[in-house]
Amino acid sequence: MCGLPMRKNGLTAKGTQRWKCTACSLSSTMPQERAARGRQLDAFLGWLLGRASQSACDANGDARALRKRTAWCWNIRPVIPPPTVRHHTVMADGTYMNHDWCLIVAIDGESGEVLGFQWCEHESKAAYMALFSRIPAPDVLVTDGLRGAETACHETWPATRIQRCLVHVQRNTRTDLTSKPRLEAGGELKRLSDRLTKVHDAGQAARWGEALNAWHLRWKDFVNERTLAKADPANPKAARQEWWWTHQEVRRCYRRLEKLFREGKLFAFLEPSLTAGGPVARTTNRLEGGVNSPLKHVLLDHHGLPEKHMRRACEWVCYMKSRDPDPASLIRPEQWKTTRPAGPSGDGDSGGPVYGTGIDWNEFHTHTPWKSGD
């Protein structure tokens, strides 16, 4: 065997499960030892991904015995095979698990199955490109609008359209204008932004664009007002620039909405040429609720894990949400040796761990040494 994942391949004449290597096509039966390891892995995942206690997951109610029997399971690194079929829509977003590491996940926009994940320090262009390069180019990418994701999409999937998550657009508007804008122009613009998620057809989208243009015609002079540094010397900006936009937040909000509408990123989900291949989501809610939320919960349910185990738990969440997950096929005899966790510093080697992506961790992650008492 070559050590790659194995798939079930029927039964022998005695009814024993036969396994086939996905790479070299050699088959074998699972010995009793491996069958026992498979049951231990099931118990381990039942505790790790569920809400039950360790004692509840053990047949005899012995939490310590469960930990001892399943300690080797931390050695398994779940790997999601790169997709071979093209998906109509893909959602991608990053969620921060700690102060210095982030997990970017890509899912099918319709089914919600996880297509791949990428560890990184922050949501950079390089991290997104490493993930996108393993996935066939979709028709549409639904994203929250970070520059790294969109730039990586343009370079890796040049023909793919981008649909900006409308909920994130509304959040950006609230960040600029607050929930209750003080200025009349800001209030009108926020109400216009709030209408984004109420647009359901091409006619409503056209009227929304007309309303945005009408707003600009009315408030054009207002958003173009400037403040000279000599007129407001007490302002901190006066020390480094000669003038600035008086209503910078309102201006920035309008320019963002206008640019997204002009580039076709607000209402791509309504274009017939794209919907002909299937529905296009207008938000990343499926990713936020289907993957990012469980990732957060698994860490909350098992707070106190070493950083290495925290990452492994997140990888298992993603793997079990991929197409046809088969944890038993990942078991290898060399994993059965129990190793002590390396603590918050990771795997303990100088080269940095690789987590199910084929990418060197040091490409995207600057390691922060762990200190006692931090």
Side-chain angles (χ1 to χ4, degrees):
M1 299 296 173
C2 58
L4 292 178
M6 301 181 72
R7 297 292 183 187
K8 292 181 179 180
N9 189 33
L11 304 176
T12 65
K14 295 183 179 180
T16 305
Q17 179 67 57
R18 185 186 294 113
W19 297 84
K20 181 178 181 181
C21 179
T22 57
C24 62
S25 298
L26 293 178
S27 63
S28 67
T29 57
M30 176 181 283
Q32 291 298 317
E33 174 70 9
R34 294 197 64 185
R37 297 291 179 173
R39 292 190 293 271
Q40 292 172 5
L41 179 58
D42 289 341
F44 171 78
L45 293 179
W47 161 74
L48 183 64
L49 304 180
R51 306 299 296 272
S53 64
Q54 291 179 339
S55 58
C57 294
D58 183 73
N60 299 319
D62 190 339
R64 184 175 181 179
L66 178 71
R67 289 194 299 270
K68 185 176 181 180
R69 287 198 312 272
T70 62
W72 66 273
C73 296
W74 292 110
N75 299 331
I76 302 176
R77 290 177 176 173
V79 178
I80 299 177
T84 56
V85 299
R86 186 169 179 267
H87 295 261
H88 176 52
T89 60
V90 168
M91 292 183 187
D93 188 23
T95 181
Y96 287 83
M97 304 297 178
N98 204 338
H99 66 281
D100 62 349
W101 47 282
C102 168
L103 181 62
I104 302 176
V105 181
I107 69 170
D108 180 273
E110 188 171 358
S111 67
E113 73 172 86
V114 175
L115 305 178
F117 58 84
Q118 174 67 50
W119 288 108
C120 58
E121 184 180 1
H122 58 274
E123 297 179 75
S124 64
K125 169 188 167 183
Y128 273 103
M129 288 187 69
L131 175 60
F132 292 166
S133 63
R134 302 193 298 271
I135 302 174
D139 294 322
V140 184
L141 171 67
V142 185
T143 181
D144 60 4
L146 286 182
R147 184 175 300 175
E150 295 197 2
T151 305
C153 177
H154 292 317
E155 295 193 16
T156 311
W157 302 330
T160 297
R161 289 288 303 278
I162 293 177
Q163 167 64 52
R164 181 70 69 87
C165 173
L166 299 185
V167 172
H168 280 86
V169 174
Q170 292 175 334
R171 290 177 185 173
N172 293 337
T173 298
R174 287 196 296 272
T175 299
D176 286 335
L177 305 179
T178 74
S179 297
K180 296 181 179 180
R182 182 171 52 83
L183 301 173
E184 182 181 359
E188 292 183 8
L189 194 59
K190 182 182 179 299
R191 286 191 291 272
L192 195 58
S193 176
D194 291 341
R195 286 170 46 191
L196 280 172
T197 50
K198 300 177 182 179
V199 174
H200 299 289
D201 56 52
Q204 293 176 339
R207 289 192 290 274
W208 188 94
E210 294 172 355
L212 181 65
N213 185 60
W215 181 94
H216 182 248
L217 292 176
R218 179 180 178 185
W219 297 103
K220 179 171 61 176
D221 295 336
F222 178 81
V223 297
N224 287 334
E225 289 181 8
R226 301 182 182 187
T227 298
L228 300 178
K230 60 183 181 181
D232 188 8
N235 194 303
K237 297 179 182 179
R240 57 181 184 273
Q241 56 194 90
E242 296 181 357
W243 62 270
W244 54 88
W245 301 111
T246 304
H247 309 290
Q248 185 173 356
E249 291 78 10
V250 177
R251 178 184 176 86
R252 180 170 57 240
C253 181
Y254 163 74
R255 288 174 63 85
R256 178 173 54 249
L257 293 174
E258 188 275 333
K259 181 180 180 181
L260 290 174
F261 180 78
R262 173 168 39 86
E263 294 179 348
K265 295 179 181 179
L266 284 181
F267 305 117
F269 70 96
L270 296 174
E271 295 184 19
S273 60
L274 297 178
T275 57
V280 178
R282 57 181 179 172
T283 69
T284 57
N285 289 351
R286 180 181 291 276
L287 175 56
E288 297 284 356
V291 181
N292 288 351
S293 180
L295 287 172
K296 298 286 189 180
H297 279 292
V298 76
L299 297 183
L300 289 174
D301 293 340
H302 303 294
H303 61 278
L305 289 174
E307 184 175 307
K308 173 185 175 181
H309 290 178
M310 293 169 66
R311 292 197 291 263
R312 192 58 48 79
C314 294
E315 292 166 1
W316 274 116
V317 171
C318 294
Y319 176 79
M320 297 304 292
K321 292 180 178 294
S322 65
R323 175 175 291 186
D324 301 326
D326 189 3
S329 67
L330 303 175
I331 298 176
R332 296 290 177 270
E334 58 269 21
Q335 299 163 344
W336 299 350
K337 182 179 180 181
T338 301
T339 57
R340 295 179 61 84
S345 61
D347 275 0
D349 56 3
S350 59
V354 178
Y355 286 97
T357 62
I359 304 298
D360 190 335
W361 176 261
N362 287 328
E363 289 186 39
F364 306 116
H365 182 77
T366 302
H367 198 72
T368 303
W370 178 78
K371 297 180 181 179
S372 176
D374 283 357

